[in-house]
């Protein structure tokens, strides 16, 4: 076992040159193509670590549908305590065709997000050079925004139940939970992020005309917090209109803040306009704790083991992970290298890239190393 030196708390001053930066990264390859894409991501992150002078101590964990089928085990409270000690978590995908829907979602992904209080789901929607978008006449200058999705409340808490289940009089309830604290911390995060961006425009995406309790709270919090950020331009769009504008005028958006369910839906639309699941990455962030980074595309079982899946989403998630660790230069190298590669790919779709999974990883890792010479 290597001697592990814990990184100082997040956002602590940069360590002196002599001090070694070693980060413990828990790795959950998961199911399907998850392990393949994470392997390429690790390759790229290792290359970035080498040129930037830090090291990554990988700690593999097997949380997956495959393991669940063998052992009936999901993520236990003890597992959570282990993961809490990591500096970051790198997740491939969890999802297995033989496991009934809901079990892995609640037992692994949502368990991790909730137990580790990763209350922000950060999803950049950025069209990279040379990438095909289904939106005609839109180029990288039109598609460059970030969705801040609330990640621990709303319709996702599992609050609800059945009455008279299985009878003709059955009632199903599923409540959207919106707490003042939960909404406020999410909205504040969005304002803090918006303030660091060039355009400084924050749009609250809701449905205030129908969700007259839940989104009334959101709107009041949004307007109150806005007063503390006079430099941020604020805007509002209903969720249905947001979908319309994301297609027609994506350039209107800089940062969007929204609840858990709407954020889930609009970020799939976002993934499509940025070129598809091959490139869409996200971070489950606990600004005070351990955060988890993942390609948002799922386990794609039919491509498993064929060396055809696009690892760029996982690589981009790895770039976000480095950013979160405070390794901003390394993160920038990763993004620049991805942007150097995208114009050379025939497509971002699995099997149609013109390169294999491992070739894409090798190329990005090489570009990361070359960027250091500049
Ligand atoms: C996502 C996924 C998850 C979600 C599912 C798998 C529970 O769709 O990360 O967007 O709804 O959050
Ligand atoms: Mn989703």
């Amino acid at each position: 076992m290597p001697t592990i030196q814990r990184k100082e708390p997040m956002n602590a001053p940069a360590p002196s040159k002599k001090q070694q930066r070693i980060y413990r990264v828990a790795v959950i390859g998961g199911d399907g193509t998850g392990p393949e894409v994470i392997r390429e991501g690790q390759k790229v992150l290792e290359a970035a670590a080498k040129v930037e002078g830090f090291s990554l101590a990988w700690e593999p964990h097997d949380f997956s549908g495959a393991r669940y089928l063998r052992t009936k085990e999901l993520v236990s409270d003890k597992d959570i305590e282990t993961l809490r000690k990591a500096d970051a978590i790198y997740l491939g995908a969890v999802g297995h065709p033989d496991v009934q829907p809901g079990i892995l979602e609640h037992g692994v992904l949502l368990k991790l997000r909730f137990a580790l209080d990763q209350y922000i789901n950060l999803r950049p929607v950025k069209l990279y050079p040379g990438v095909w978008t289904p939106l005609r006449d839109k180029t990288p200058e039109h598609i460059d925004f970030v969705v801040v999705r609330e990640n621990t409340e709303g319709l996702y808490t599992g609050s609800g139940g059945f009455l008279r289940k299985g009878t003709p009089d059955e009632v199903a309830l599923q409540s959207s939970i919106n707490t003042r604290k939960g909404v406020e911390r999410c909205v504040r995060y969005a304002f803090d992020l918006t303030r660091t961006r060039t355009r400084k425009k924050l749009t609250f995406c809701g449905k205030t005309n129908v969700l007259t309790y839940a989104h009334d709270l959101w709107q009041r919090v949004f307007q109150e917090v806005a007063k503390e950020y006079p430099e941020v331009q604020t805007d509002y769009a209903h969720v249905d209109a947001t979908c319309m504008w994301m297609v027609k005028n994506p350039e209107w958006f800089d940062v969007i803040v929204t609840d858990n369910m709407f954020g889930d839906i609009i970020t799939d639309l976002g993934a499509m306009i940025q070129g598809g699941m091959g490139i869409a990455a996200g971070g489950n962030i606990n600004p005070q704790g351990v955060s988890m980074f993942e390609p948002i595309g799922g386990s794609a079982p039919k491509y498993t083991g064929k060396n055809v899946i696009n690892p760029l989403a996982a690589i981009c998630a790895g770039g976000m992970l480095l950013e979160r660790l405070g390794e901003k230069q390394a993160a920038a190298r990763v993004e620049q290298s991805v942007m150097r590669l995208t114009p050379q790919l025939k497509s971002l779709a699995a099997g149609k890239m013109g390169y294999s999974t491992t070739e894409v990883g090798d190329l990005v890792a090489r570009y990361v190393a070359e960027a250091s010479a500049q």
Side-chain angles (χ1 to χ4, degrees):
M1 280 286 287
T3 317
I4 309 254
Q5 186 191 324
R6 276 300 307 272
K7 189 186 168 263
E8 289 311 303
M10 294 295 171
N11 306 326
S16 73
K17 283 254 151 49
K18 271 192 194 152
Q19 232 177 321
Q20 254 208 326
R21 281 126 62 218
I22 304 175
Y23 304 100
R24 294 171 59 172
V25 181
V27 183
I28 306 169
D31 291 305
T33 52
E36 292 168 57
V37 295
I38 287 298
R39 211 148 40 229
E40 300 315 308
Q42 288 177 282
K43 197 187 269 178
V44 171
L45 267 51
E46 283 289 353
K50 194 167 169 209
V51 292
E52 292 293 343
F54 60 91
S55 21
L56 297 159
W58 306 106
E59 299 177 355
H61 292 268
D62 180 15
F63 304 125
S64 61
R67 172 169 174 253
Y68 173 75
L69 290 171
R70 280 197 320 270
T71 67
K72 289 283 169 289
E73 284 170 306
L74 295 160
V75 175
S76 70
D77 293 343
K78 195 162 159 262
D79 296 327
I80 293 291
E81 289 321 306
T82 308
L83 291 168
R84 214 186 280 288
K85 296 189 193 110
D87 291 307
I89 304 170
Y90 199 22
L91 170 70
V94 178
H96 197 289
D98 300 339
V99 180
Q100 191 193 323
I103 293 180
L104 299 172
E105 288 82 349
H106 282 281
V108 182
L109 189 61
L110 298 179
K111 168 99 187 192
L112 292 166
R113 287 177 182 171
F114 283 41
L116 296 170
D117 203 21
Q118 294 163 339
Y119 61 86
I120 299 296
N121 196 325
L122 191 65
R123 298 192 163 176
V125 178
K126 187 166 175 177
L127 181 64
Y128 285 132
V131 172
W132 180 82
T133 171
L135 304 185
R136 188 158 60 96
D137 302 333
K138 298 296 177 188
T139 59
E141 72 192 39
H142 300 106
I143 303 176
D144 184 4
F145 61 93
V146 183
V147 177
V148 175
R149 164 186 174 189
E150 200 291 321
N151 211 31
T152 53
E153 299 194 341
L155 280 165
Y156 276 71
T157 61
S159 160
F162 298 106
L163 296 173
R164 309 183 198 104
K165 190 175 180 189
T167 76
D169 297 320
E170 177 162 355
V171 180
L173 295 168
Q174 191 107 39
S175 311
S176 176
I177 305 295
N178 296 263
T179 68
R180 167 81 205 198
K181 279 184 194 156
V183 173
E184 186 172 334
R185 65 184 184 173
C186 174
V187 165
R188 278 190 186 281
Y189 182 93
F191 273 100
D192 282 335
L193 172 68
T194 310
R195 177 159 66 176
T196 67
R197 291 175 58 95
T198 314
R199 290 170 57 205
K200 303 191 194 328
K201 179 180 173 188
L202 178 60
T203 304
F204 164 42
C205 160
K207 190 76 183 174
T208 53
N209 52 346
V210 175
L211 304 181
T212 48
Y213 307 118
H215 285 183
D216 182 81
L217 172 61
W218 273 82
Q219 193 169 39
R220 277 183 286 121
V221 170
F222 186 74
Q223 284 164 355
E224 277 169 38
V225 175
K227 291 189 193 127
E228 296 171 38
Y229 296 82
E231 71 274 45
V232 172
Q233 182 199 341
T234 56
D235 198 5
Y236 172 76
H238 290 320
V239 64
D240 44 355
T242 301
C243 292
M244 187 169 79
W245 301 130
M246 276 172 69
V247 171
K248 189 164 182 294
N249 299 105
E251 64 278 7
W252 286 0
F253 296 114
D254 180 23
V255 180
I256 298 176
V257 65
T258 192
D259 75 9
N260 207 342
M261 188 80 257
F262 290 173
D264 177 48
I265 297 166
I266 68 170
T267 54
D268 264 29
L269 176 55
M272 286 304 117
I273 67 171
Q274 74 182 123
M277 288 303 180
I279 194 90
N284 301 274
I285 315 266
N286 175 343
Q288 289 81 35
V290 60
S291 301
M292 175 168 77
F293 299 84
E294 52 173 340
I296 71 176
S299 58
K302 71 174 176 181
Y303 297 117
T304 306
K306 297 197 157 75
N307 200 20
V308 295
I309 193 81
N310 187 345
L312 285 180
I315 291 170
C316 292
M320 294 176 76
L321 186 156
L322 295 178
E323 171 99 34
R324 178 74 194 113
L325 291 176
E327 295 294 344
K328 296 198 186 312
Q329 292 198 55
R333 274 181 208 291
V334 172
E335 187 177 37
Q336 280 160 21
S337 303
V338 169
M339 289 169 75
R340 187 174 156 195
L341 179 67
T342 49
Q344 301 170 51
L345 300 181
K346 285 201 206 123
S347 157
L348 295 189
K352 298 183 182 148
M353 297 187 287
Y355 295 91
S356 66
T357 307
T358 44
E359 281 169 342
V360 168
D362 288 344
L363 278 169
V364 180
R366 198 182 94 201
Y367 294 163
V368 164
E370 284 175 7
S372 68
Q374 287 164 9

